[in-house]
Amino acid sequence: MGNICARLKAKPAPPHSSAAKKRSVSRRERKLDDAAIREQAIAAAILFKQHQQQQQNFDRSTSLRYPNGVSKKGSSNSNTLPRSSSSRARSLTDPLLQPHQLLNQDVKVDDLETNHIVLVHGGGFGAWCWYKSIALLEESGYKVAAIDLTGCGVSSFDTNSITSLSQYVKPLTDVLEKLPEGEKVILVGHDFGGACISYAMEMFPLKISKAVFIAAAMLTSGQSTLDIISQQEGSDDLMQQAQNFIYANGNDLPPTSFDLDKSFLKDLLFNQSPSKDVALASVSMRSVPFAPVLEKLSLSDLKYGSVRRFYIQTLEDNAIPISLQENMINANPPEKVFRLKGADHSPFFSKPQALHKLLVEISKIL
């Protein structure tokens, strides 16, 4: 109470006092931060529209702008990197280079088995979460499609009405089904997206060149994603504390979906990510349908097992801890395992350049 009374008795500062100046600067900084968040949201919305068009006609992909991964302004033989004209102070997690400045510009996408990458988001996320990866990959010459699964991102479908994994992943299987004869893609799945790409691998093994699991559910046949999640449950488990179950069909029936408490989002999913990306996620994430999480996958060696698998571990992950990632890798060993130091559960936010480098490296493996 003493502090409150002191503030009430205090005389207003003169218009040109240092206190007034500080308040003015603070207001300008807040406006700049708000503007930056709005710009990111607008950029994500633009990417949605572009990639919805790409799903209808992949030949119109904007990745064809710079076939060799070099912008028109720069020469591919130049050994110098252009300077940024921005005077904005950068955070430690911000990319230090623009996409066209990356050192893997020499990627010859025409020499790859495929330069077509399909990005599949995790539970609660949407195509919007890949906006940094999309920009980096396209500037390097790749053809990229980011999928909004049913009830996610800009999909208008009610999450609580999703009753099966096949229904949930239909936007992905539609894309694969429409691929021209002989064309293959690299599937990249994050989080629950790992179960989704596994389902697609069983359905379309001849259309998938490689499968990349990023901090993802990599199941064995007969397992469900819930079986994996249950391995880490404990009284101090953040995921368990963050889940809010929704019973759209009544409390006497199984839950239809679950949300993640926004107060836990940063610690659970974004503990190493920039605050602006956390803000974007907090207004963009949607509930996760429960039926697909319960569904056990039937995976065969002949189909699923014929696709080359790679796993990217996230070492600062609080949602799928490294111990749980190791359990999945040991139970179902992929061809190669990569480790992202300093990455939280969302490396497309916390370590976009390092993640990009690994995706390019995997695409080049013969």
Side-chain angles (χ1 to χ4, degrees), residues 59-189:
D59 292 337
R60 299 175 63 186
S61 171
T62 54
S63 64
L64 301 179
R65 287 177 297 175
Y66 308 130
N68 295 320
V70 181
S71 71
K72 294 178 182 180
K73 295 181 181 179
S75 168
S76 59
N77 296 323
S78 174
N79 293 321
T80 60
L81 297 175
R83 292 180 177 272
S84 170
S85 60
S86 173
S87 59
R88 179 180 66 87
R90 299 182 186 274
S91 74
L92 293 177
T93 49
D94 276 346
L96 297 177
L97 300 177
Q98 296 300 313
H100 65 276
Q101 296 174 294
L102 290 173
L103 298 181
N104 53 26
Q105 290 178 7
D106 60 347
V107 177
K108 297 179 179 178
V109 293
D110 292 338
D111 296 338
L112 303 175
E113 180 183 8
T114 179
N115 71 332
H116 190 173
I117 296 179
V118 178
L119 303 171
V120 183
H121 62 80
F125 291 85
W128 54 267
C129 73
W130 298 105
Y131 77 95
K132 293 180 183 180
S133 296
I134 292 169
L136 292 169
L137 288 166
E138 287 190 341
E139 290 291 349
S140 293
Y142 289 86
K143 185 177 182 178
V144 187
I147 306 298
D148 270 327
L149 298 175
T150 305
C152 304
V154 298
S155 169
S156 60
F157 200 90
D158 179 10
T159 305
N160 292 297
S161 299
I162 298 172
T163 58
S164 67
L165 185 59
S166 62
Q167 184 183 15
Y168 182 62
V169 303
K170 192 175 186 304
L172 172 60
T173 54
D174 284 349
V175 167
L176 295 174
E177 192 171 17
K178 293 173 184 176
L179 283 176
E181 188 70 27
E183 183 174 340
K184 292 188 175 185
V185 301
I186 296 173
L187 282 187
V188 179

Side-chain angles (χ1 to χ4, degrees), residues 27-86:
R27 283 195 293 270
R28 286 200 298 271
E29 288 177 345
R30 284 198 297 270
K31 288 180 180 178
L32 288 173
D33 286 343
D34 291 344
I37 293 172
R38 285 197 297 272
E39 287 175 5
Q40 285 190 338
I42 291 169
I46 291 171
L47 287 173
F48 294 156
K49 187 173 180 64
Q50 288 177 342
H51 287 280
Q52 282 178 322
Q53 292 172 348
Q54 287 173 348
Q55 290 170 23
Q56 296 171 3
N57 183 356
F58 286 114
D59 292 337
R60 299 175 63 186
S61 171
T62 54
S63 64
L64 301 179
R65 287 177 297 175
Y66 308 130
N68 295 320
V70 181
S71 71
K72 294 178 182 180
K73 295 181 181 179
S75 168
S76 59
N77 296 323
S78 174
N79 293 321
T80 60
L81 297 175
R83 292 180 177 272
S84 170
S85 60
S86 173

Side-chain angles (χ1 to χ4, degrees), residues 4-15:
I4 295 175
C5 291
R7 283 200 297 271
L8 290 174
K9 292 177 181 178
K11 294 181 180 180

Side-chain angles (χ1 to χ4, degrees), residues 19 22 29 73-74 82 91 115 129 187 194 234 244 255 262 265 300 327 331-332 342 345 349:
K22 287 180 181 178
E29 288 177 345
K73 295 181 181 179
S91 74
N115 71 332
C129 73
L187 282 187
N244 294 318
K262 291 188 186 300
L265 284 183
S300 66
N327 288 346
N332 190 14
H345 188 61
F349 289 158

Side-chain angles (χ1 to χ4, degrees), residues 250-265:
N251 293 336
D252 56 335
L253 294 173
T256 50
S257 64
F258 65 89
D259 282 327
L260 295 177
D261 189 321
K262 291 188 186 300
S263 66
F264 286 93
L265 284 183

